[in-house]
Amino acid sequence: MSIQFTDNISTAAKRDILDLAQKIGSFQQGDIADEAFRKFRLTRGVYGQRQPGVQMIRIKLPHGRITADQLIRIADLSDKYATGNLHATTRQDIQLHFVKLADSPQLWADLEDANITLKEACGNTVRNVTGSARAGIDPLEPFDITPYAHTIFDYFLRNPICQDMGRKFKISVSSSEKDSAYGYMHDVGLIARIQDGKRGFKVMLGGGLGAQPFSAQTAFEFLEEDQVIPFIEGVIRVFDRYGERQKRHKARMKYLLNDIGLEELLQRIADETPALRVKSYEVDNNAGNSLFETPPAERLDAPAPSIIEGDDQFDRWLKTNVFEQKQAGWYSVQLRVLLGDMHSDTARALAQIVKQYAADDIRVTVNQGYLLRFVKPEDLPAIYQALNALGLAEPGFDTTADITTCPGTDTCNLAISSSYGITRALEQMMHDEFPDLVFNDDIKIKISGCMNGCGQHSVANIGYHGSSLKNGAYVLPALQVLLGGGFNGKGEGLIADKVIKIPAKRGPDSLRYLLRDFEANTFDGEYYSDYYARQGKNYFYQLLKPLADLKTLVNSDYIDWDHTEQYVTEVGIGECASVLIDLVATTLTEASEKLGWAREALSESRWSDALYHTYNVFITGARAALMSRDVPTNTQHGIVSDFDKTFVGTPDFHQAEGEFKALVFSINKQEPSEEFARRFIAQGEAFLQAVQAYREVQIEQEGLPELQALTQALDS
């Protein structure tokens, strides 16, 4: 597979892309197991779709920041390799769908030419670092979190400590106490603060969505700015070592925190201090700015925003989609984008509008829209007309009328029912019956196609996730209704309650009931989540109970939104089939690869990286040895303990009790240094050779192993 590179692409990115191309070739020739290839490609942003033979490509945009030219590049590549659609996600990424696997390396190379990466956009890695879209212009912010979000992204990209974790890891950075990046639902959530004249962050740990959502716990009310990255590194090291690895649904950071408690978690993080690559990390306030336009100065003599006489729509747009920045005399324009989908032609036209009227610093927002910055007030009528011609001037950005949704059964393997269809139906109903909801920024509605929560339904004031219901011999599409999440009147982030499950076609009726009830019974100025708490879960269950009555079903209830055929429950066609492989041999190959990475890091004087790669050689080698004895493995800490118990005193490894554990965990007992790295790598190499020799003897004595079936495990 020949890849065309330009001089703009870094050596590291070229190697990643060539590695992807090589692995694709091996996979297509049958030389690499499906599961191993799936694990590999996910960390390169290549994700299997519901439809066989095509991939979703997730483009990683740190805190959603993008230039006009980058937007054009993505649009052009969507035309060339995908469907001409750009899907903005709740993690401020952009996704392309229906891409051929063989096209993904060149697509990646063409993105890297524009300084855009796919690396670690999916898989068990540190995912995209999200941040408040208003960062740098937010009137409420104590300082601009943009360079901090970018630096966190950059520090952990390709970092050895997060390349093979038990599950994904998510970080957000919020500009102000409004927590607009939803830190309370992240593995690490940061909120900007100033204390005693110093910059820092409130730090929250262990939040997460999915089938069992958790609110994050507060680790620090204030942590000075230079300590944030070292602390996050410590968190990830602890998660990597102690996190669940077998029970995938229990493998998130939130469960580790729940199991051992905050005090113990913080102690283990502190224990990692000697091993950290850095003990203090000062963030450059210009970090990540090289591609973007420098913010203009304040315009204290700027005119008031112009108006368009007799244009009601412009007036509503001005009130709901435009705000004055903290830089006096400059305005920001927010774009409401239905379903988060934008056609490539629209994207290219939007890029030209940005070049003419705004700063070259577009932000993808967590509610799947876009934010344009530094617009002159006298240009607002012109930019409105240009956006309106593209269908991008719908009023009500981030209001009740602006629903957040995932793609659902349109493309996702895990989805149970249509997200797009119900979203269109709800937005149309509100447009027709509740037109003033474009001015309500309290009630947020979020929808997911399944319980996993890509649409973030668990942190919505009113949330829905796709499900199914059985009625006799028949199955119908359903919606689980969740209420009371999001932010209350005190600014506290809440997790929604599951209230009731209803047929999907009754979704508009459910929202109609809820909105009319709120209009009739709320106190003046009462937030929706406070209203929900006051009335109680049973009140809303009784309110919606008639919609759950299956005795009143009609034929159309058995057909999902956006469909004409009768509904059947199905998960999309898997990313790969079951295969037969020698699991021990595959694991030993993986250990050898990690040893190669350790040697490379050593040659480049990256002592901390060399040590962590070698640590993973020990872990992976020990796992292979245990698997050869049919000893189940789980956490890294458990693997080390089980190896000690299983092989202590055997002639194959000549180790006394506790000796292996002491060796492996010496990684966090001393500072990273050349001497330590060289010694540790030599010990890791000797250990791996011993495991390989042990395995060869075992095969000689017992014969070739019985190949084991390995089935896919989807990664959301």
Side-chain angles (χ1 to χ4, degrees):
M1 186 182 297
S2 177
I3 310 298
Q4 301 299 313
F5 292 113
T6 67
D7 293 339
N8 292 335
I9 303 176
S10 69
T11 300
K14 286 180 182 177
R15 184 168 62 179
D16 284 339
I17 295 164
L18 290 171
D19 200 14
L20 175 61
Q22 186 271 323
K23 287 290 198 298
I24 289 173
S26 297
F27 171 71
Q28 292 174 334
Q29 293 169 17
D31 296 334
I32 182 173
D34 293 355
E35 171 67 9
F37 178 63
R38 184 193 71 87
K39 178 181 174 183
F40 173 86
R41 63 172 165 74
L42 282 171
T43 57
R44 277 81 183 163
V46 183
Y47 192 107
Q49 282 188 202
R50 193 179 190 89
Q51 298 80 6
V54 291
Q55 314 293 317
M56 176 269 282
I57 301 296
R58 181 174 292 152
I59 301 169
K60 193 175 186 182
L61 305 173
H63 55 106
R65 200 177 189 195
I66 189 170
T67 68
D69 284 339
Q70 287 176 328
L71 184 61
I72 292 170
R73 177 62 59 89
I74 294 171
D76 290 346
L77 294 176
S78 183
D79 285 343
K80 184 174 182 179
Y81 296 113
T83 61
N85 183 59
L86 287 67
H87 177 72
T89 77
T90 54
R91 296 210 60 73
Q92 296 174 282
D93 297 310
I94 290 177
Q95 293 177 172
L96 307 181
H97 292 89
F98 297 92
V99 175
K100 294 178 182 177
L101 180 61
D103 287 338
S104 57
Q106 188 60 60
L107 189 161
W108 187 359
D110 293 343
L111 287 169
E112 287 283 355
D113 177 60
N115 291 288
I116 305 169
T117 193
L118 304 183
K119 182 71 171 175
E120 298 156 40
C122 308
N124 298 333
T125 59
V126 173
R127 298 288 185 86
N128 194 30
V129 176
T130 57
S132 299
R134 294 189 179 192
I137 59 174
D138 186 354
L140 300 177
E141 69 184 17
F143 57 87
D144 183 6
I145 58 89
T146 299
Y148 297 87
H150 180 86
T151 302
I152 293 168
F153 156 83
D154 188 61
Y155 186 86
F156 292 106
L157 186 69
R158 298 185 176 90
N159 193 311
I161 70 170
C162 51
Q163 296 306 299
D164 189 24
M165 296 187 290
R167 282 291 268 121
K168 57 192 174 184
F169 195 92
K170 297 180 178 180
I171 302 170
S172 76
V173 192
S174 287
S175 286
S176 72
E177 298 298 327
K178 290 187 69 174
D179 193 16
S180 57
Y182 289 91
Y184 79 96
M185 66 171 207
H186 282 76
D187 296 289
V188 174
L190 306 173
I191 297 177
R193 286 182 172 176
I194 288 181
Q195 183 173 299
D196 299 327
K198 297 179 180 178
R199 289 184 177 187
F201 294 88
K202 176 182 178 179
V203 181
M204 296 173 284
L205 292 178
L209 301 182
Q212 191 175 3
F214 283 58
S215 285
Q217 298 182 38
T218 299
F220 300 101
E221 289 293 344
F222 183 82
L223 184 66
E224 287 192 28
E225 57 178 337
D226 68 310
Q227 293 302 302
V228 168
I229 283 177
F231 178 75
I232 297 174
E233 180 177 340
V235 173
I236 293 173
R237 283 173 172 265
V238 170
F239 175 56
D240 195 32
R241 186 164 304 145
Y242 296 98
E244 171 73 36
R245 287 176 181 265
Q246 290 301 310
K247 298 175 184 176
R248 186 176 173 280
H249 64 288
K250 292 287 188 181
R252 291 295 302 274
M253 176 74 186
K254 60 188 179 182
Y255 293 108
L256 176 61
L257 173 57
N258 191 56
D259 288 345
I260 68 175
L262 182 60
E263 184 177 353
E264 175 63 20
L265 179 64
L266 291 175
Q267 182 58 56
R268 292 185 187 183
I269 294 167
D271 290 344
E272 293 296 318
T273 300
L276 298 181
R277 185 193 290 179
V278 293
K279 308 302 188 292
S280 172
Y281 199 99
E282 296 285 349
V283 171
D284 179 357
N285 283 328
N286 290 313
N289 284 338
S290 59
L291 296 175
F292 301 92
E293 189 171 327
T294 303
E298 294 183 343
R299 301 175 70 230
L300 299 178
D301 58 345
S306 303
I307 61 170
I308 302 176
E309 292 290 347
D311 191 330
D312 238 12
Q313 175 90 346
F314 173 75
D315 185 54
R316 292 159 72 87
W317 174 82
L318 198 63
K319 289 178 181 176
T320 62
N321 292 29
V322 178
F323 67 93
E324 186 172 9
Q325 300 178 178
K326 73 176 186 181
Q327 294 85 4
W330 292 99
Y331 288 76
S332 279
V333 172
Q334 301 166 116
L335 312 184
R336 179 180 166 190
V337 181
L338 177 64
L339 310 175
D341 286 344
M342 184 182 293
H343 191 273
S344 56
D345 290 340
T346 304
R348 280 185 287 267
L350 173 61
Q352 297 308 317
I353 292 171
V354 170
K355 290 182 177 185
Q356 184 174 359
Y357 294 111
D360 194 11
D361 188 352
I362 308 165
R363 305 292 173 101
V364 182
T365 65
V366 294
N367 63 316
Q368 301 174 293
Y370 293 79
L371 186 147
L372 314 184
R373 306 148 72 85
F374 290 96
V375 176
K376 297 177 181 178
E378 58 266 35
D379 286 339
L380 287 171
I383 199 172
Y384 162 77
Q385 290 169 336
L387 291 171
N388 197 36
L390 299 175
L392 295 177
E394 278 294 309
F397 175 86
D398 200 28
T399 63
T400 310
D402 186 11
I403 297 176
T404 301
T405 184
C406 73
T409 51
D410 278 40
T411 56
C412 180
N413 272 307
L414 301 177
I416 301 172
S417 63
S418 171
S419 300
Y420 276 8
I422 184 60
T423 297
R424 290 190 188 96
L426 295 181
E427 289 204 359
Q428 187 62 51
M429 185 274 290
M430 288 189 287
H431 178 273
D432 295 341
E433 301 179 30
F434 301 89
D436 287 345
L437 286 177
V438 295
F439 300 112
N440 186 319
D441 59 3
D442 163 31
I443 303 174
K444 301 291 196 297
I445 303 173
K446 300 178 185 290
I447 298 175
S448 301
C450 70
M451 66 181 66
N452 285 295
C454 293
Q456 302 179 344
H457 58 267
S458 294
V459 292
N461 307 106
I462 300 174
Y464 297 92
H465 79 67
S467 189
S468 62
L469 282 166
K470 194 168 185 181
N471 185 36
Y474 299 96
V475 179
L476 62 151
L479 293 169
Q480 175 68 56
V481 183
L482 301 95
L483 299 173
F487 295 98
N488 62 15
K490 297 178 182 178
E492 298 167 330
L494 306 172
I495 299 296
D497 290 334
K498 291 183 178 180
V499 174
I500 196 168
K501 189 187 292 187
I502 61 172
K505 284 295 180 68
R506 298 179 182 179
D509 281 335
S510 71
L511 184 57
R512 188 178 289 114
Y513 282 20
L514 292 168
L515 294 175
R516 286 178 178 170
D517 171 76
F518 184 63
E519 284 183 347
N521 298 307
T522 184
F523 296 151
D524 185 37
E526 188 173 24
Y527 280 70
Y528 191 85
S529 291
D530 290 333
Y531 174 66
Y532 170 79
R534 175 165 65 84
Q535 296 285 31
K537 178 178 176 178
N538 187 60
Y539 172 87
F540 291 93
Y541 173 81
Q542 297 298 331
L543 176 69
L544 299 177
K545 187 177 179 181
L547 297 178
D549 185 0
L550 301 186
K551 299 186 187 70
T552 58
L553 291 173
V554 296
N555 289 338
S556 61
D557 288 321
Y558 294 93
I559 300 172
D560 203 1
W561 293 100
D562 278 0
H563 290 260
T564 56
E565 75 284 358
Q566 184 168 322
Y567 175 81
V568 291
T569 305
E570 61 180 0
V571 174
I573 295 173
E575 296 185 41
C576 55
S578 177
V579 294
L580 294 175
I581 63 170
D582 179 352
L583 291 174
V584 177
T586 299
T587 305
L588 285 173
T589 299
E590 185 180 334
S592 296
E593 289 178 350
K594 291 174 179 178
L595 181 60
W597 298 339
R599 290 170 176 155
E600 179 181 294
L602 183 68
S603 70
E604 296 174 356
S605 302
R606 293 185 286 117
W607 318 131
S608 178
D609 291 357
L611 286 163
Y612 209 84
H613 282 311
T614 307
Y615 164 77
N616 275 317
V617 171
F618 283 113
I619 296 297
T620 309
R623 181 157 56 92
L626 290 167
M627 290 164 63
S628 75
R629 292 276 193 94
D630 294 324
V631 176
T633 62
N634 192 354
T635 68
Q636 291 180 348
H637 192 272
I639 287 170
V640 173
S641 297
D642 289 342
F643 183 89
D644 252 342
K645 294 174 186 174
T646 304
F647 292 100
V648 64
T650 64
D652 301 292
F653 294 99
H654 308 290
Q655 289 177 325
E657 184 175 354
E659 187 177 338
F660 181 67
K661 180 183 288 188
L663 170 61
V664 176
F665 293 149
S666 67
I667 188 176
N668 68 352
K669 300 296 188 293
Q670 53 189 298
E671 301 283 335
S673 67
E674 180 178 3
E675 179 187 357
F676 181 24
R678 289 189 182 280
R679 183 174 71 251
F680 203 55
I681 287 176
Q683 292 167 322
E685 184 173 8
F687 173 73
L688 181 57
Q689 289 173 351
V691 175
Q692 289 167 332
Y694 160 76
R695 181 59 172 166
E696 289 171 4
V697 171
Q698 186 184 40
I699 290 173
E700 286 178 8
Q701 295 175 346
E702 302 174 12
L704 289 170
E706 181 181 346
L707 297 183
Q708 300 183 44
L710 185 65
T711 55
Q712 71 155 16
L714 290 167
D715 188 335
S716 61

